[in-house]
Amino acid sequence: MELSTTVTELRYALDTFFFLISGALVMWMAAGFAMLEAGLVRSKNTTEILTKNFCLYAIACTMYLIVGYNIMYVDNGEGGWLPSFGAMFGTQADGADHSLESDFFFQVVFVATAMSVVSGAVAERMKLWVFLIFSVVLTAVIYPIEGYWTWGGGFLSAAGFSDFAGSGIVHMAGASAALAGVLLLGARKGKYGKHGEILPIPGSNMPLATLGTFILWFGWFGFNGGSQLMVSDFENATAVGKIFLNTNAAAAAGALAALAVCKTTWGKADLTMILNGALAGLVAITADPLSPSPMAAVIIGVIAGAVVVFSIVGLDKLKIDDPVGAISVHGVCGFFGLMVVPFSNGDASFGAQLLGAAVIFAWVFGASLAVWAILKYTIGIRVSEEEEMAGMDLHDCGIDAYPEFVSVK
């Protein structure tokens, strides 16, 4: 009896530690988003984008603690659509595999990831305080409600919708909120010519963007690996190993596919597209990094890495200005990831996946569009043309990221 108790306690401790380490890896992705976005915006907007990323993480952690976790997980009925808004952190359940606090920490960093997707898409022309207000609403209400419908045991879960680590629940949701904001916000000044031509606006720091992508790639092992939820027995430990392998394979294949597409289409190795190709592979495999074989993970990464290039170009032709390609990476490839799950997972169906994707998009896009519209027609969401030309750093923060080299071009 004593030996059995000791083994149980050791497994509890190990799984709790696994949750905490995985959550810390995902938290480090916040730094990845910050560096990636800082590298892909102009130098005059760098401090502001860093401020957004730092503050949105703090807001997500606070609002999910106060409100969001209650909506998503506490005292909700199975298969329902309306959360109970129960009280958080009750008594630790008998036989629990890990602590409730470690579960919360792992969940809260996913919320911040969804909000980080929005940051880059609306960069260089949205008011800082408007963005932070929206962050409160998304992390406290919009994300937790669709989270209840899926991971929280709501009606999409009951319908058979499968999203292992959040291709749709996290990434496509963030992209849906971003798309709603971008449509109301409009393009940056100088992005599109008078005759419809697309005028590139280069980022200020490719080393930073590359560093950010490597950090995201690294953090994704916690994102996908931690979603196995356990590591303390043979089956789960083996599963985590395969998840790591497939996650890495899809990212690498996505980068190579984007490189190949750029070379064959334009004759150049476009670094920004290659970075987004790796992220596209990561987003796509996130829906199910366990079921596919390693070669299938490579194929998923290759398709996502190619698709993201054409998606970024296609959105530009539609005059949907996304400075970092977030809508394509997280939205288009998140949807793609959801829809390929049934090819390797016999428990998933195309109908349930399509239903889940449609509901998540409709809810997050619709709710976000309403919030953005209220903000637009009350306090305004966009800075003035003069403020945009001078730079968000000067307007919102009063601090230049590169004071010796600041430019207002």
Side-chain angles (χ1 to χ4, degrees), residues 108-334:
V108 75
V109 289
F110 277 60
V111 186
T113 298
M115 192 62 224
S116 294
V117 174
V118 184
S119 173
V122 299
E124 301 202 286
R125 73 272 201 208
M126 176 173 278
K127 294 178 179 178
L128 172 63
W129 291 100
V130 168
F131 175 83
L132 297 181
I133 291 171
F134 180 80
S135 299
V136 171
V137 180
L138 181 95
T139 58
V141 180
I142 297 175
Y143 173 91
I145 287 178
E146 58 100 6
Y148 160 56
W149 293 338
T150 51
W151 288 336
F155 75 94
L156 289 179
S157 175
F161 175 67
S162 178
D163 189 359
F164 185 89
S167 286
I169 298 166
V170 178
H171 295 281
M172 195 182 73
S176 300
L179 177 61
V182 168
L183 291 178
L184 288 178
L185 188 61
R188 291 168 290 173
K189 298 296 181 183
K191 176 62 179 176
Y192 304 110
K194 294 181 179 178
H195 303 291
E197 64 271 28
I198 301 169
L199 306 175
I201 301 178
S204 63
N205 196 322
M206 289 302 102
L208 263 190
T210 305
L211 173 63
T213 305
F214 270 123
I215 292 172
L216 287 168
W217 191 332
F218 176 68
W220 228 286
F221 295 121
F223 201 95
N224 286 356
S227 295
Q228 182 64 21
L229 309 182
M230 294 179 66
V231 74
S232 61
D233 58 37
F234 177 85
E235 181 180 356
N236 284 292
T238 302
V240 171
K242 186 178 181 183
I243 289 168
F244 271 53
L245 190 162
N246 284 348
T247 298
N248 192 64
L256 294 176
L259 170 63
V261 170
C262 290
K263 178 61 177 176
T264 55
T265 305
W266 301 291
K268 303 291 183 180
D270 187 323
L271 176 60
T272 62
M273 290 294 190
I274 296 168
L275 299 179
N276 277 330
L279 295 176
L282 288 164
V283 169
I285 199 64
T286 293
D288 191 345
L290 178 58
S291 299
S293 67
M295 284 308 302
V298 169
I299 294 171
I300 290 170
V302 165
I303 297 173
V307 165
V308 77
V309 175
F310 295 113
S311 176
I312 290 171
V313 173
L315 289 182
D316 253 346
K317 290 181 178 179
L318 295 173
K319 292 186 171 56
I320 297 175
D321 183 17
D322 179 356
V324 303
I327 297 170
S328 296
V329 169
H330 302 274
V332 174
C333 293

Side-chain angles (χ1 to χ4, degrees), residues 37-50 124 201-205 390-394 399-409:
E37 294 171 21
L40 294 181
V41 301
R42 288 165 287 184
S43 58
K44 64 183 180 180
N45 297 314
T46 305
T47 299
E48 195 262 358
I49 202 76
L50 295 173
E124 301 202 286
I201 301 178
S204 63
N205 196 322
M392 306 296 291
D393 290 1
L394 179 63
I399 301 174
D400 293 320
Y402 311 105
E404 294 88 353
F405 306 104
V406 68
S407 170
V408 296
K409 293 183 181 179

